[in-house]
Amino acid sequence: MAGIKRKNSGCLPDEWGGLMSIQAQISSTESSISSEESKISDLEAKILRLKATKDSIALVKDDIKNSSSAQQNLSFLMNGWQGEQANKVSKSLVDDFSTVYLDYYGAVDALHDDINSELTRLENEKFQSEGILGGLRSLLNSLWSAFENAFN
């Protein structure tokens, strides 16, 4: 019972057992609070990293979206080539580009969605831990009150 000064309060031996039980509960609750605070700190660090990653992926998505205009400019590859064969090649290039573009954009969009979902899960876990932490602090406050009341 470090830090607790015993004063002659006229407690009976049975009362000391109750006080020791309260002290054990206080220690246990303080340990739980420390654990939850550590968990929240870890979650906050993960959330910060994921937010940065999410922002980076959003920029990549914007870049991909802006590059879709390149599809309309594929005619520069034809370099003045005209005719039926040129039209077939041009159509093939546009179709191939469209397929690759849509696949790539879809993959980046899915990654962005996955990161966003994980970010939401971590934030919700943090909010839940904060609620637990509030409950533990309330319990600790009540325990200290009971302990102090025993010495009044």
Side-chain angles (χ1 to χ4, degrees):
M1 290 190 1
I4 298 175
K5 294 180 182 174
R6 293 185 186 184
K7 69 178 187 179
N8 187 358
S9 63
C11 290
L12 299 172
D14 288 342
E15 290 174 322
W16 277 111
L19 293 175
M20 297 301 282
S21 174
I22 291 172
Q23 180 61 37
Q25 289 176 354
I26 288 171
S27 294
S28 174
T29 304
E30 286 175 337
S31 175
S32 294
I33 287 171
S34 179
S35 174
E36 286 299 316
E37 287 174 336
S38 177
K39 181 179 175 182
I40 288 170
S41 179
D42 290 347
L43 288 169
E44 287 172 341
K46 288 177 184 178
I47 287 167
L48 284 176
R49 287 192 306 267
L50 270 179
K51 282 183 176 180
T53 302
K54 179 183 168 188
D55 291 346
S56 295
I57 296 297
L59 292 174
V60 169
K61 273 181 63 174
D62 287 343
D63 286 347
I64 295 169
K65 203 179 293 186
N66 293 336
S67 71
S68 69
S69 62
Q71 174 181 341
Q72 294 147 357
N73 296 325
L74 287 176
S75 59
F76 79 91
L77 292 174
M78 303 307 288
N79 198 21
W81 185 23
Q82 296 180 357
E84 186 178 330
Q85 189 63 26
N87 290 339
K88 286 180 186 179
V89 169
S90 177
K91 182 178 179 343
S92 177
L93 284 173
V94 169
D95 290 347
D96 289 348
F97 180 85
S98 294
T99 300
V100 170
Y101 165 80
L102 290 174
D103 289 347
Y104 182 56
Y105 185 82
V108 171
D109 187 51
L111 177 61
H112 189 261
D113 292 348
D114 289 346
I115 289 171
N116 195 46
S117 294
E118 179 64 7
L119 184 58
T120 300
R121 186 191 69 76
L122 290 172
E123 287 171 334
N124 288 342
E125 186 176 339
K126 178 186 167 216
F127 297 147
Q128 183 180 9
S129 289
E130 288 171 338
I132 291 168
L133 191 56
L136 288 169
R137 286 185 174 141
S138 178
L139 173 62
L140 183 62
N141 191 41
S142 296
L143 290 169
W144 273 115
S145 177
F147 193 81
E148 289 175 15
N149 287 344
F151 286 98
N152 283 337

